[in-house]
């Protein structure tokens, strides 16, 4: 491992610096995966009888990332435009030193893209395994919040304004829904990650009639799926990966955006367990995890768009479209992996303040009951006068940021008809929750079907 | 229908102007879908017993798009920021004229987003039905090409350079793979399009305890799926739609990009059945359809990225993220629908020129045999001199754009050892096709499994 | 003008439906601009002596958009892949009817792209003129707010948390800065909009030696800049336009995003003059304009990215990259035009509530003075005990959402040392404004230099 | 410098691995720039009299990147969400060890964003200096090609089809135009890079009344421009940078895309001086540099779109939008820097083959003369029969890929009227170049105005 001053070590990436996903997707991980692909190919060809077993064994032994200088490979990648060419040269040289005859079987029948695409799928598999586990962790916490707070009153806000009451459990159920959707998609994509082997132009020409058998053995050696055909220029696997990752980042982003807003000083309904400090303001407790997740969610869609753009891949290997995938896909894998893990932490540490929720709800919560109060008054006064009184009271409630029932309760003409208890009942937001709890149950049922041992 | 001078009629959109998808997704189609959603809601509530059946019948009758001026609705949408508010007012007024009591049941328990989201899914369903049918048509042609040309020799090109021989059937099989992938994804998404009903803040508050029953009846009336929970701010359905559409456009784009390049004057291996004319150059036969498809494929990823960005939807209805979906999603639906249809036309009309393919292959095709010839010569001359002769000949072949065997055939020292027949056999690209045909078969098998009655 | 049911009339675009920019950029506006380009070309060629003046006059007369059916042109655009081909045919037919000899001078020496690119610049010019005027209007209001509220105390929020005091004038000055930046850029781009004339492949071949002279006359006739060279495949003008428009939308988006948040029910520091209603909730006053602007700001970057992608334009006219510009550029022009106008309205109608600002500031405002109070107490008690008391008080202030000075004022040990007046002075956020007012002045100075007669 | 296995060393980035821009923009470069910003701030405050000169000197001495472990900083950045917080702690600790009193002046009056934004502008300045120099180098070569090949005949291609003749000089002039446009824009942006200093919420509160003076001194110390106001949430500088970089990448991408196509085996008009090898195909000479540049050009627009999206920055520091800039901006800086340098290399090494151009032109070049021949024949035969003969001949020329004049020259009825010399003259593409050379001259004039000493 080079200690080149050009190395990047995550300084601008607090979302994943130091994480498991960073290790699973760094340059060294790619190097390992490329070597694993080369070794898997040799073993596959040995299985099929094309390569002597001893040569395959030797190639596998030599495909040990510790033997190679990733920086030197990176620098030599410039000549041929990809890192596989210098890596194959280096691997072949190592094998040749030990057994000159075996060297010819290195990279036999493959093209650079076969190795890099397969390696990318191996890296993706490792990242997805981490991501799926972290997403389960996050979903478990969200499910717990939905269940615990199924009756915790809070306000529903639309276009930033108080709308009608809801429960914090319903909010958590919405978060959970997004996380479950993302998990479903990630699992589908994880199971379908294909090996790539096509040779120079996708015909497996150099493997003569054994091509298909080699592909099958190769996929098995790599733990990947056998594709119907080489996908050098049919980049569905990359696009599918991109969409699943972007969905997961977006689902986490929804949670985090809500947290940043619910944690606003004036709102104060939730807080990060350990908020981040500030370089200037000692009194601040910033929603740092949520901020980093939101930041990730603002980056993922554009990365995905570059990967969708790479579907436009001409001929049997495009002059640019393939190369344009490498960095955005790795970045998206890392963003997703980091984001999901941080979202798990965020949810695990989330502090929920039902009192603050109730206090905020009371700012306008009674407004939703305006119609019910008006109906009650109208029975006595007639419709127009009743509406007039309630309208004025609502206006004052909003202006003074006081509960509607308090305003109404100050009017003797109202209290003569509706005693305090009746007024409170009419104004109680808990009476306006509709199917909030049933929806929570439906979402939790879905969760338990997916995670029977957890729910 | 207004004939407002502000109307757009597809002038800048030859990919879909005049198409079925245009009609299925225009402003009038959205108006109809919104009215269908309102009518479906009323009937659903009648089924559940909340709304008098006669009122539901009257609302359904009044929800006839011919009664409403879409331009007037559009203009009045500015005040509240969405078109549902003025549409509901207009619908309620029409109903009120006929039965004042029934008017109160219009839009009962729904919020604007419920209606627009459901309408969007209805429009998406109509577009997807068209797109899936057109994609089957395109796939059938691609399958035919793959089968017919399974042994039609052509050159595989990587990074724009001749690589090794392949078959045109293998190229068509790659196209088919992309189209099948897209079809699989579109069908999954089509089947999952959900209705939306949540009321003001996703709790179905106004429906009291009947919310879930109404949602189920509503989805049935609309022919959509019952969602586990309202998805006002969990935008998975929109993101999934975006990814499926972008994948389909990309799969078509791959076909079209290849066509534009294979149709180049110097390449001339395919041509559009009816190429487009030029406003200046009477001799031109432009690959117009392919050009329009490529243009679409350059637009789709960014549209999808905006839709993925809309996953970042705060609170119970976001102030902007939802509104940001409308135009990009419609544009993506149209682009996809138009693109798939045009790709079907393109493939149906494609003229394939095997002679041109062979002529191009012969420019360098023998090069792939260089190694085999060198081995044959080396048996007599030794390795170094043999390699030297072949290297020089290869260089001359490339410079003069002549087949390698012709160059070699002019050297008496070579022809002494290898007679013309032997040389031809060694240089025959048909002997270097590896698993091309097996791959074609695998892809056709997949096609036949999906389309048993067609394949 | 067709009343085709396929027409779009802005149903999904409340940001610009019914606006001046809609009229300036609709299909009819493009038709007019293409006809203006054709007429300008004929007159330019007459100036140079290539075309008989009478023919140029006749072509100009016939280039009246009222004579053409934009829908029919749109439908016929599919064959050749662009609308200029059928439009030229239609124009030529109209001219031919009146003077068969003059018909040959229609479109003389031009290619379709010349006409459509020039028309696009004409449309862009009209939209930019509107946008620049609306941006000046918005900037004038922002400047007024900055000036009026230069000492209106409010809280600065970072990562959604109260940070330190600032003024509402400083916030408005930040808005103004963005608007001025955008205006500067739009004006630069407006002045540089070039005519396009290159003929079939950019050599002006059909104009023989008079090409340059014709380009100069043509640009003059169209009111556009003479380009150094045809820009068929050097799309700087489009990319520059995209970046200026995206910047303007983003600058408005910053204003609007702040408005949606400052208008939150719990924050309540600003409100839209006439907030939008809701289809369900009569008590709501939604920040509708701000929401629409935020929605636009979420769409513009992706549109710009497609236009930047079109820089990748091969050969002398690309097969797709150019066609991919049309819709996104028009959409971006409209979004920008609509957004800027709505932002002007938003700012003009903005209601500012200094009392709410002060109340919110007081929730934590005293916290910033914690250090000053601690120093004052430390003089008597020593550093550690003083810090301890203040730390505890700060914590309680945050928990109880009460001003720090109130908490401190309840402690006899504190009030013994610091009387109420002193405590208030130490805790007064107005004493912590740094250079807020100087910054406002600097921004207003910049505004006045740009708008000397307004400031 | 850590040799952490998590480090990235450019393995997936052959476009910039090992380049000067890599060193100028790596994590270590950012660390240095942040330390330079801290040191510049201390010196600026010393100039203004706020900080003791000795403390500023000490801070400057301690702000030596060799003293800090960038990996440790990266890991500790997770807590507060940005790398400045741990860096300030580390710097303060180093200073404190040497002079406890001086430590309090570290980071005085600044917030994390001040330091990171300023550091980013310092990094951007270094990258832009490299990029501008490399762009001048590339432009010089393009200018040379335009001049040298001002009369080198080649074919103009539109929608991938032969259109009319042009010159290779005109193609190079188009490339040059894009490069000059990009250079103009990069220089404007380079000159305008601003320092950032605003303190906690943009008021420079902690600097009391000296804020503006400190900003001015700070900008001078950093070699950056004094902004009118802090731009914490008015991100014009970032958006402008993004647009200039994306324009430059796009201008290079146009060159490279043309090279990949002109280098196609069948076209063969240009070749990279040293084409890249292949891991499988020894005969290949891939346009590797062009491929890497095209790959970059496919990534830049999406990165720019994320940065334009960051204009949507709420409050006085956004919870995500700012953090979302870091990685995309650095990646875009590197892509642009690497791309421009590689494009310079590509152009310097480009091999141009005028004979191949002529041979390709002759495939259809005579077609452009069809009209002239038809006119000549019509004088004798009448219009219809003449057109008929030429049309048939054109068709055969296209089918047989032979020059039109050869086809016509085989018809005795034609040669009777037009002798070989006349026919050749009518068919000579050199007679159809219009203003190609004048356009080259105009572009070269522009180049010489910008680069008087070079041109």
């Amino acid at each position: 491992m080079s200690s080149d001053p050009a190395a990047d070590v995550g300084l601008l990436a607090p979302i994943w610096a130091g994480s498991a996903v960073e290790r699973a997707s760094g340059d060294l991980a790619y190097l390992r995966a490329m070597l694993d692909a080369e070794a898997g190919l040799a073993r596959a060809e040995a299985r099929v009888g094309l390569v002597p077993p001893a040569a395959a064994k030797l190639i596998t032994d030599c495909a040990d990332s510790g033997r190679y200088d990733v920086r030197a490979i990176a620098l030599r990648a410039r000549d041929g435009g990809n890192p596989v060419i210098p890596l194959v040269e280096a691997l072949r040289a190592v094998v040749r030193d030990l057994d000159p005859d075996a060297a010819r079987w290195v990279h036999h029948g493959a093209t650079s893209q076969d190795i890099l695409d397969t390696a990318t799928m191996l890296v993706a598999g490792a990242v997805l395994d981490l991501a799926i586990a972290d997403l389960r962790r996050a979903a478990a916490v969200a499910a717990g919040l939905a269940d615990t707070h199924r009756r915790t009153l809070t306000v529903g806000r639309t276009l930033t304004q108080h709308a009608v009451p809801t429960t914090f459990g319903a909010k958590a159920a919405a978060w959970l829904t997004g996380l479950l959707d993302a998990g479903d998609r990630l699992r589908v994509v994880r199971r379908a990650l294909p090996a790539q082997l096509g040779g120079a132009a996708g015909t497996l020409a150099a493997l003569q009639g054994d091509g298909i058998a080699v592909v099958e053995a190769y996929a098995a050696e790599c733990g990947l799926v056998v594709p119907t055909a080489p996908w050098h220029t049919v980049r569905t696997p990359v696009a599918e990966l991109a969409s699943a990752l972007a969905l997961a980042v977006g689902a986490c982003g929804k949670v985090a955006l809500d947290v940043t807003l619910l944690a606003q000083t004036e709102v104060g309904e939730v807080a990060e367990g350990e908020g981040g400090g500030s370089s200037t303001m000692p009194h601040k407790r910033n929603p740092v995890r949520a901020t980093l997740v939101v930041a990730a969610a603002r980056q993922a869609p554009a990365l995905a768009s570059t990967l969708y753009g790479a579907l436009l891949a001409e001929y049997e290997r495009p002059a640019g479209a393939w190369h344009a995938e490498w960095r955005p896909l790795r970045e998206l894998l890392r963003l997703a992996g980091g984001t999901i893990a941080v979202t798990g932490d965020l949810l695990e540490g989330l502090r929920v303040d039902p009192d603050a929720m109730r206090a905020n709800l009371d700012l306008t919560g009674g407004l939703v009951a305006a119609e019910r109060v008006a109906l009650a008054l109208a029975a006595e006064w007639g419709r127009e006068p009743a509406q007039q009184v309630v309208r004025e009271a609502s206006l004052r409630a909003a202006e003074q940021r006081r509960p509607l029932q308090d305003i109404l309760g100050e009017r003797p003409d109202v209290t003569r008809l509706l005693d305090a208890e009746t007024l409170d009942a009419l104004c109680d937001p808990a009476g306006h929750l509709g199917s909030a709890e049933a929806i929570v149950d439906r979402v939790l049922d879905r969760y338990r079907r997916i995670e029977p041992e957890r729910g």
Side-chain angles (χ1 to χ4, degrees), chain A:
Chain A
M1 182 59 212
S2 162
S3 65
D4 196 277
D8 287 330
V9 294
L11 187 69
L12 301 183
I15 192 79
W16 49 253
S19 70
V21 73
E22 181 191 50
R23 283 186 298 282
S25 63
D27 278 0
L28 197 54
Y30 268 80
L31 182 77
R32 276 185 195 130
M34 289 191 280
L35 288 164
D36 288 347
E38 293 286 1
L41 176 64
R43 291 194 306 274
E45 290 170 340
R47 279 212 223 173
V48 171
L50 290 179
V51 164
K57 170 84 172 59
L58 182 62
I59 291 169
T60 298
D61 291 345
C62 293
D64 165 10
S65 64
R67 293 174 183 266
Y68 305 91
D69 179 342
V70 63
R71 176 65 175 170
I73 302 287
L75 294 178
R76 287 165 55 207
R78 303 193 72 171
D79 292 337
N82 78 59
V84 179
I85 299 173
L87 179 63
V88 168
E89 283 170 18
L91 172 60
R92 198 173 271 143
V94 169
V95 174
R96 190 181 297 119
D97 279 355
L98 297 170
D99 178 355
D101 287 343
R104 63 176 292 220
W105 299 112
V106 169
H107 196 63
H108 178 64
T111 192
S112 297
Q113 190 176 358
D114 293 330
I115 299 306
L116 189 47
D117 277 352
T118 300
T120 300
M121 292 298 117
L122 290 171
V123 168
V127 171
L128 288 185
D129 287 343
L130 292 166
I132 289 167
D134 279 322
L135 204 51
R136 293 178 67 193
R137 180 166 61 95
V141 186
L145 289 171
D147 198 21
T148 304
H149 293 284
R150 54 172 56 238
R151 293 195 193 101
T152 302
L153 275 173
T154 188
V155 68
R157 295 172 180 93
T158 60
L159 280 66
T160 76
Q161 305 299 297
H162 281 200
V164 296
T166 184
T167 63
F168 186 66
K171 295 197 182 206
W175 296 349
L176 177 57
T177 297
L179 300 175
L180 294 178
D181 290 345
D184 285 352
R185 192 93 179 83
L186 286 180
R187 274 187 295 270
V188 167
V189 169
R190 173 68 184 91
R191 282 193 297 268
L193 294 175
Q196 168 77 291
L197 192 64
T203 60
L204 296 158
L207 300 176
Q208 310 292 342
D210 294 315
I212 304 298
V214 171
V215 172
E216 289 171 346
Y218 174 64
E221 289 288 343
C222 294
L224 295 169
V225 168
V226 182
T228 306
W231 41 282
H232 292 162
T233 56
V234 182
R235 308 303 286 173
T236 310
V238 172
E240 290 285 74
L241 196 44
S243 76
L245 295 168
L247 183 68
V249 174
C252 293
K254 157 66 179 165
V255 176
L257 181 58
D258 279 349
V259 169
T260 63
L261 292 171
L262 296 176
Q264 286 175 103
T265 305
E266 284 85 358
V267 179
E269 300 182 356
V270 306
E272 287 197 12
E274 300 178 38
S278 152
S279 71
T280 40
M281 295 164 283
H283 64 277
K284 285 198 67 177
R285 213 171 58 193
N286 288 321
V288 165
R289 284 173 193 75
T291 294
L292 294 178
V293 171
V294 169
R298 283 166 159 266
Q299 297 172 66
L303 293 166
S305 79
T306 298
L307 295 170
Y308 271 88
L311 290 167
L312 213 50
E314 79 275 6
Y315 287 147
E316 277 67 48
R317 178 165 313 116
W322 174 53
H323 306 72
E325 291 174 358
W326 308 343
R327 299 267 305 174
L329 179 53
R330 193 247 295 268
E331 187 74 11
L332 188 51
L333 283 165
R334 286 180 160 183
L335 265 188
T339 295
I340 294 168
V342 171
T343 301
D345 299 344
L346 167 66
L347 282 167
E348 283 174 352
L350 198 70
R351 290 197 245 168
V352 177
D353 187 342
D355 293 339
M357 290 176 186
R358 179 70 209 211
N360 287 333
L361 180 59
D362 284 342
L363 291 177
T364 58
L367 290 182
V368 303
E371 194 185 24
R372 294 209 297 177
V373 175
L375 281 172
L377 297 175
E380 199 73 14
W381 299 347
R383 194 170 172 277
E384 267 316 294
Q387 291 247 333
Q388 177 68 12
V389 163
V390 173
R391 201 175 303 121
E392 280 170 23
S394 297
L395 217 60
R396 285 185 55 209
E399 278 169 14
Q400 301 176 12
R401 301 193 185 188
R402 296 170 57 207
L404 176 63
Q405 61 259 53
D406 288 9
I407 305 289
L408 289 168
E410 289 164 6
R411 293 183 63 122
D413 53 348
V414 169
T415 53
R416 252 195 308 277
L417 288 172
L418 308 171
D419 62 24
E421 205 176 329
T422 308
L423 198 55
D424 276 6
L426 287 171
C427 293
D428 183 5
H432 293 272
L433 291 172
S435 304
E437 195 162 359
I439 290 169
V440 168
D441 283 332
R442 289 168 63 90
V443 174
L444 288 176
D445 280 350
R446 178 181 170 200
Y447 172 68
R448 290 187 195 107
R449 280 195 304 276
I450 296 171
E451 300 278 5
E453 77 287 4
R454 290 203 185 209

